[in-house]
Amino acid sequence: MAGGSERIFVGLNAEWALVCAEPAHAAMVRGWLEDAGVLAPGESPDRLQDLLVELERRDRSQGRAHSDRWLAAVLAVAAGAGGEAQLAARVVVQAMLSGAFRLARRLMRAERDFDEVGQVVVAALYQVVRTYPAARQRKVAANLMLETLHRASRELQADFEPDGVAWQPELAAMPSDQNVVDAAWRGVLAETAGRAVLAQAPCEEELSGPRGELIELLVWGVSSGMVDAERARAIADEVREGGREAAERAGVSAVAWRKRRSRTVQQLRAVAESWAQAA
């Protein structure tokens, strides 16, 4: 998160350093967590930035039950009013900032500026944090990211994504918080690819892993005008499982197949470089 096009995230990290420089802020956050039974008195670091690092360390070692407890405690304060509520919201936003950055990368399109997308994502995250339902205390991080994706995608209103990403609370039951956003995204990509790239809409399972990344790259290539839709469909068919066997049955020689794949790699390399520069 250090590129010139990532100013919103660089700026938030700089702002966070100023928030942490105020000793009273750490004392307030420790108080909320001690009142909620997340921390015992005197066991947490004195500095706010160190406290957040310690919470993340415990999340990794103790799992989602720990993150649910501390996030729910801080979100309860964020739902209020005044300076404490603003500080609580800022703590949660900082904890979710890496996820927001990944989400912004997902929502990039050829016609969009990454900073503008990042601003929409961060604004959506703030709204979600300040209005998070107190009764929803399980899968908290997953719900925060899924609702942020829902709001941000609707705000951005892409041509091939007119209704945004639908809110799907059942996805929050998945084993991994990261899988929640990925699963919601595969649904959007399946619909988009069916209209823009593939001859027929793929199933969502077909869009996981490397093939999903390729289809996402092709969708971006078509939307940016770097790849013709018919050529994108041909590339997608080439890399589909059994694609080479199908070409051989159609009379394509091994030499011709290798030349075709070489041209595909060269074209995709140029698309990928342009996509990376845009994001």
PDB file of all heavy atoms in Angstrom, residues 166-181:
ATOM      1  N   ALA A 166     -25.217  -8.209  -4.318  1.00  0.00           N
ATOM      2  CA  ALA A 166     -26.341  -8.413  -3.414  1.00  0.00           C
ATOM      3  C   ALA A 166     -25.860  -8.797  -2.021  1.00  0.00           C
ATOM      4  O   ALA A 166     -24.856  -9.483  -1.857  1.00  0.00           O
ATOM      5  CB  ALA A 166     -27.267  -9.492  -3.965  1.00  0.00           C
ATOM      6  N   TRP A 167     -26.590  -8.335  -1.004  1.00  0.00           N
ATOM      7  CA  TRP A 167     -26.273  -8.694   0.384  1.00  0.00           C
ATOM      8  C   TRP A 167     -26.641 -10.152   0.603  1.00  0.00           C
ATOM      9  O   TRP A 167     -27.776 -10.556   0.394  1.00  0.00           O
ATOM     10  CB  TRP A 167     -27.050  -7.787   1.320  1.00  0.00           C
ATOM     11  CG  TRP A 167     -27.039  -8.206   2.756  1.00  0.00           C
ATOM     12  CD1 TRP A 167     -28.109  -8.498   3.525  1.00  0.00           C
ATOM     13  CD2 TRP A 167     -25.898  -8.368   3.597  1.00  0.00           C
ATOM     14  NE1 TRP A 167     -27.719  -8.836   4.784  1.00  0.00           N
ATOM     15  CE2 TRP A 167     -26.365  -8.775   4.865  1.00  0.00           C
ATOM     16  CE3 TRP A 167     -24.522  -8.229   3.404  1.00  0.00           C
ATOM     17  CZ2 TRP A 167     -25.512  -9.021   5.931  1.00  0.00           C
ATOM     18  CZ3 TRP A 167     -23.681  -8.482   4.465  1.00  0.00           C
ATOM     19  CH2 TRP A 167     -24.171  -8.868   5.711  1.00  0.00           C
ATOM     20  N   GLN A 168     -25.679 -10.948   1.004  1.00  0.00           N
ATOM     21  CA  GLN A 168     -25.885 -12.373   1.192  1.00  0.00           C
ATOM     22  C   GLN A 168     -25.400 -12.780   2.576  1.00  0.00           C
ATOM     23  O   GLN A 168     -24.279 -13.254   2.742  1.00  0.00           O
ATOM     24  CB  GLN A 168     -25.129 -13.167   0.120  1.00  0.00           C
ATOM     25  CG  GLN A 168     -25.603 -12.890  -1.308  1.00  0.00           C
ATOM     26  CD  GLN A 168     -24.661 -13.504  -2.318  1.00  0.00           C
ATOM     27  OE1 GLN A 168     -23.620 -12.945  -2.628  1.00  0.00           O
ATOM     28  NE2 GLN A 168     -25.013 -14.669  -2.807  1.00  0.00           N
ATOM     29  N   PRO A 169     -26.216 -12.594   3.613  1.00  0.00           N
ATOM     30  CA  PRO A 169     -25.760 -12.883   4.970  1.00  0.00           C
ATOM     31  C   PRO A 169     -25.357 -14.328   5.187  1.00  0.00           C
ATOM     32  O   PRO A 169     -24.540 -14.628   6.055  1.00  0.00           O
ATOM     33  CB  PRO A 169     -26.978 -12.516   5.838  1.00  0.00           C
ATOM     34  CG  PRO A 169     -28.136 -12.539   4.901  1.00  0.00           C
ATOM     35  CD  PRO A 169     -27.603 -12.119   3.572  1.00  0.00           C
ATOM     36  N   GLU A 170     -25.894 -15.249   4.381  1.00  0.00           N
ATOM     37  CA  GLU A 170     -25.541 -16.653   4.578  1.00  0.00           C
ATOM     38  C   GLU A 170     -24.073 -16.926   4.280  1.00  0.00           C
ATOM     39  O   GLU A 170     -23.488 -17.890   4.773  1.00  0.00           O
ATOM     40  CB  GLU A 170     -26.412 -17.548   3.690  1.00  0.00           C
ATOM     41  CG  GLU A 170     -26.198 -17.389   2.194  1.00  0.00           C
ATOM     42  CD  GLU A 170     -26.999 -16.254   1.579  1.00  0.00           C
ATOM     43  OE1 GLU A 170     -27.598 -15.474   2.344  1.00  0.00           O
ATOM     44  OE2 GLU A 170     -27.020 -16.136   0.344  1.00  0.00           O
ATOM     45  N   LEU A 171     -23.428 -16.050   3.489  1.00  0.00           N
ATOM     46  CA  LEU A 171     -22.008 -16.240   3.190  1.00  0.00           C
ATOM     47  C   LEU A 171     -21.143 -16.059   4.427  1.00  0.00           C
ATOM     48  O   LEU A 171     -20.026 -16.560   4.492  1.00  0.00           O
ATOM     49  CB  LEU A 171     -21.556 -15.259   2.103  1.00  0.00           C
ATOM     50  CG  LEU A 171     -22.098 -15.504   0.688  1.00  0.00           C
ATOM     51  CD1 LEU A 171     -21.593 -14.438  -0.244  1.00  0.00           C
ATOM     52  CD2 LEU A 171     -21.726 -16.882   0.185  1.00  0.00           C
ATOM     53  N   ALA A 172     -21.648 -15.339   5.409  1.00  0.00           N
ATOM     54  CA  ALA A 172     -20.855 -15.104   6.612  1.00  0.00           C
ATOM     55  C   ALA A 172     -20.638 -16.377   7.417  1.00  0.00           C
ATOM     56  O   ALA A 172     -19.841 -16.397   8.348  1.00  0.00           O
ATOM     57  CB  ALA A 172     -21.535 -14.057   7.493  1.00  0.00           C
ATOM     58  N   ALA A 173     -21.332 -17.452   7.088  1.00  0.00           N
ATOM     59  CA  ALA A 173     -21.145 -18.722   7.786  1.00  0.00           C
ATOM     60  C   ALA A 173     -19.978 -19.522   7.223  1.00  0.00           C
ATOM     61  O   ALA A 173     -19.668 -20.597   7.719  1.00  0.00           O
ATOM     62  CB  ALA A 173     -22.423 -19.555   7.704  1.00  0.00           C
ATOM     63  N   MET A 174     -19.330 -18.990   6.195  1.00  0.00           N
ATOM     64  CA  MET A 174     -18.214 -19.710   5.597  1.00  0.00           C
ATOM     65  C   MET A 174     -17.023 -19.757   6.545  1.00  0.00           C
ATOM     66  O   MET A 174     -16.903 -18.943   7.461  1.00  0.00           O
ATOM     67  CB  MET A 174     -17.814 -19.037   4.279  1.00  0.00           C
ATOM     68  CG  MET A 174     -18.901 -19.113   3.215  1.00  0.00           C
ATOM     69  SD  MET A 174     -18.373 -18.344   1.681  1.00  0.00           S
ATOM     70  CE  MET A 174     -17.054 -19.460   1.208  1.00  0.00           C
ATOM     71  N   PRO A 175     -16.111 -20.723   6.367  1.00  0.00           N
ATOM     72  CA  PRO A 175     -15.006 -20.920   7.320  1.00  0.00           C
ATOM     73  C   PRO A 175     -14.022 -19.777   7.416  1.00  0.00           C
ATOM     74  O   PRO A 175     -13.379 -19.613   8.417  1.00  0.00           O
ATOM     75  CB  PRO A 175     -14.292 -22.172   6.786  1.00  0.00           C
ATOM     76  CG  PRO A 175     -15.223 -22.800   5.839  1.00  0.00           C
ATOM     77  CD  PRO A 175     -16.140 -21.739   5.330  1.00  0.00           C
ATOM     78  N   SER A 176     -13.844 -19.004   6.345  1.00  0.00           N
ATOM     79  CA  SER A 176     -12.812 -17.970   6.338  1.00  0.00           C
ATOM     80  C   SER A 176     -13.396 -16.625   5.979  1.00  0.00           C
ATOM     81  O   SER A 176     -14.187 -16.511   5.057  1.00  0.00           O
ATOM     82  CB  SER A 176     -11.710 -18.342   5.334  1.00  0.00           C
ATOM     83  OG  SER A 176     -10.915 -17.229   5.024  1.00  0.00           O
ATOM     84  N   ASP A 177     -12.987 -15.569   6.699  1.00  0.00           N
ATOM     85  CA  ASP A 177     -13.466 -14.224   6.390  1.00  0.00           C
ATOM     86  C   ASP A 177     -13.106 -13.831   4.960  1.00  0.00           C
ATOM     87  O   ASP A 177     -13.886 -13.193   4.258  1.00  0.00           O
ATOM     88  CB  ASP A 177     -12.859 -13.201   7.356  1.00  0.00           C
ATOM     89  CG  ASP A 177     -13.370 -13.392   8.780  1.00  0.00           C
ATOM     90  OD1 ASP A 177     -14.396 -14.056   8.930  1.00  0.00           O
ATOM     91  OD2 ASP A 177     -12.737 -12.879   9.712  1.00  0.00           O
ATOM     92  N   GLN A 178     -11.919 -14.206   4.521  1.00  0.00           N
ATOM     93  CA  GLN A 178     -11.507 -13.868   3.173  1.00  0.00           C
ATOM     94  C   GLN A 178     -12.395 -14.571   2.157  1.00  0.00           C
ATOM     95  O   GLN A 178     -12.710 -14.031   1.113  1.00  0.00           O
ATOM     96  CB  GLN A 178     -10.040 -14.269   2.960  1.00  0.00           C
ATOM     97  CG  GLN A 178      -9.495 -13.900   1.595  1.00  0.00           C
ATOM     98  CD  GLN A 178      -9.537 -12.414   1.325  1.00  0.00           C
ATOM     99  OE1 GLN A 178      -9.368 -11.613   2.228  1.00  0.00           O
ATOM    100  NE2 GLN A 178      -9.780 -12.015   0.092  1.00  0.00           N
ATOM    101  N   ASN A 179     -12.832 -15.800   2.452  1.00  0.00           N
ATOM    102  CA  ASN A 179     -13.694 -16.531   1.538  1.00  0.00           C
ATOM    103  C   ASN A 179     -15.024 -15.830   1.323  1.00  0.00           C
ATOM    104  O   ASN A 179     -15.672 -16.024   0.302  1.00  0.00           O
ATOM    105  CB  ASN A 179     -13.963 -17.939   2.079  1.00  0.00           C
ATOM    106  CG  ASN A 179     -12.777 -18.854   1.874  1.00  0.00           C
ATOM    107  OD1 ASN A 179     -11.893 -18.539   1.099  1.00  0.00           O
ATOM    108  ND2 ASN A 179     -12.755 -19.961   2.580  1.00  0.00           N
ATOM    109  N   VAL A 180     -15.477 -15.054   2.297  1.00  0.00           N
ATOM    110  CA  VAL A 180     -16.755 -14.371   2.177  1.00  0.00           C
ATOM    111  C   VAL A 180     -16.739 -13.421   0.991  1.00  0.00           C
ATOM    112  O   VAL A 180     -17.611 -13.455   0.121  1.00  0.00           O
ATOM    113  CB  VAL A 180     -17.084 -13.596   3.470  1.00  0.00           C
ATOM    114  CG1 VAL A 180     -18.313 -12.738   3.275  1.00  0.00           C
ATOM    115  CG2 VAL A 180     -17.309 -14.566   4.612  1.00  0.00           C
ATOM    116  N   VAL A 181     -15.743 -12.545   0.932  1.00  0.00           N
ATOM    117  CA  VAL A 181     -15.653 -11.607  -0.170  1.00  0.00           C
ATOM    118  C   VAL A 181     -15.392 -12.347  -1.480  1.00  0.00           C
ATOM    119  O   VAL A 181     -15.958 -12.021  -2.523  1.00  0.00           O
ATOM    120  CB  VAL A 181     -14.552 -10.564   0.100  1.00  0.00           C
ATOM    121  CG1 VAL A 181     -14.373  -9.643  -1.101  1.00  0.00           C
ATOM    122  CG2 VAL A 181     -14.907  -9.745   1.339  1.00  0.00           C
TER     123      VAL A 181
END
